[in-house]
Amino acid sequence: MPHKIKVAPSILAADFGHLADEIQRVEAAGADLIHIDIMDAHFVPNLSMGPGIVEAVRKITRLHLDVHLMMDNPGQYLKAFAKAGADGLTVHLEVLPDPREALDSIGDLGLTRGLSLNPDMPVERLANHLAAVDRLLVMCVFPGFGGQKFIPESLARITAARRLLDLAGRTEAELEVDGGVDLQNAGSIIQAGADLLVGGTAVFKAADAAKAIVSLRGG
Ligand code: DX5
Ligand code: ZN
């Protein structure tokens, strides 16, 4: 089945000194969503942004704000991110072995319910939660930093996640791939079943963001 491929530039790779211009630049270049990486220095060894940045970004663009919560206690902050203007919130299975309550809360807030897993978490662990998610986010690097190299074994995990969604009849749920996505590996990632590609370095550091987005989608 051909997937409609979307690209979500991650502003972690943007020039923070010119964030408004950077977002307008990738929007004009054809970005489908804006990916915002929230890091708490506990779940991941880095600090990045909070609801204040989401609120500021909300004023700049009408694109869907895809907020990736790399934090130990996402449940406490769902409302704050919703209020700030997020359209989708993605939580990690590593910190919420039973993510149901958080996913239901995200849905009750009217937002896209995302569930993510790190490269060392068995994909099968997603199986019980598929009915409660709108978006599965497969990490292809260990989260915390942009610009890392795609872990090749991730391709099999993307294929497995797609199979789980298909078997569960969740064909309308999105399969998002994040970390190390570039112009070389995007084709194989799409072939494996992804329909939403996060591109930090690949979009923001490209000489021509529009060309990069078209190439990531497969030309
Ligand atoms: C990694 C983040 C990613 C990252 C992607 O911890 O979740 O979204 O910003 O950046 P690139 O595309 O440069 O790997
Ligand atoms: Zn991310």
Side-chain angles (χ1 to χ4, degrees):
M1 187 186 72
H3 303 285
K4 155 104 180 62
I5 308 304
K6 294 182 184 167
V7 174
S10 162
I11 62 169
L12 193 63
D15 175 353
F16 288 164
H18 302 93
L19 190 54
D21 295 344
E22 287 281 80
I23 289 166
Q24 280 162 1
R25 182 168 72 87
V26 295
E27 180 166 1
D32 298 291
L33 304 84
I34 298 292
H35 185 86
I36 305 182
D37 286 307
I38 309 298
M39 302 180 180
D40 69 347
H42 288 271
F43 176 57
V44 290
N46 198 5
L47 281 165
S48 60
M49 313 163 218
I53 300 287
V54 175
E55 198 178 339
V57 173
R58 178 74 291 162
K59 292 182 183 141
I60 296 162
T61 180
R62 300 182 69 170
L63 290 180
H64 177 109
L65 301 185
D66 168 31
V67 177
H68 180 188
L69 300 174
M70 288 165 279
M71 55 197 294
D72 270 349
N73 51 352
Q76 287 178 31
Y77 293 89
L78 300 176
K79 272 194 196 136
F81 282 107
K83 193 158 172 267
D87 295 292
L89 293 175
T90 296
V91 297
H92 266 263
L93 200 49
E94 289 79 12
V95 297
L96 295 175
D98 182 0
R100 193 52 187 262
E101 196 183 323
L103 292 168
D104 286 351
S105 301
I106 295 168
D108 291 344
L109 290 163
L111 308 185
T112 300
R113 303 164 297 172
L115 183 61
S116 182
L117 76 176
N118 283 349
D120 57 357
M121 171 67 79
V123 175
E124 295 67 33
R125 296 277 185 84
L126 295 167
N128 290 336
H129 313 299
L130 297 175
V133 300
D134 306 303
R135 176 176 289 155
L136 280 187
L137 192 167
V138 176
M139 283 309 301
C140 301
V141 300
F142 284 92
F145 300 92
Q148 300 185 73
K149 204 177 158 330
F150 182 88
I151 299 172
E153 289 75 20
S154 304
L155 279 180
R157 293 165 55 76
I158 299 163
T159 306
R162 168 55 64 193
R163 193 172 302 131
L164 283 180
L165 284 174
D166 287 349
L167 286 174
R170 296 304 322 279
T171 45
E172 78 287 5
E174 284 178 314
L175 182 50
E176 180 172 19
V177 170
D178 186 7
V181 176
D182 62 26
L183 303 190
Q184 282 68 47
N185 59 28
S188 322
I189 291 169
I190 293 166
Q191 192 68 37
D195 29 42
L196 172 52
L197 306 183
V198 175
T201 307
V203 175
F204 277 103
K205 308 286 195 226
D208 182 333
K211 270 195 194 150
I213 290 172
V214 169
S215 306
L216 286 172
R217 286 201 196 100

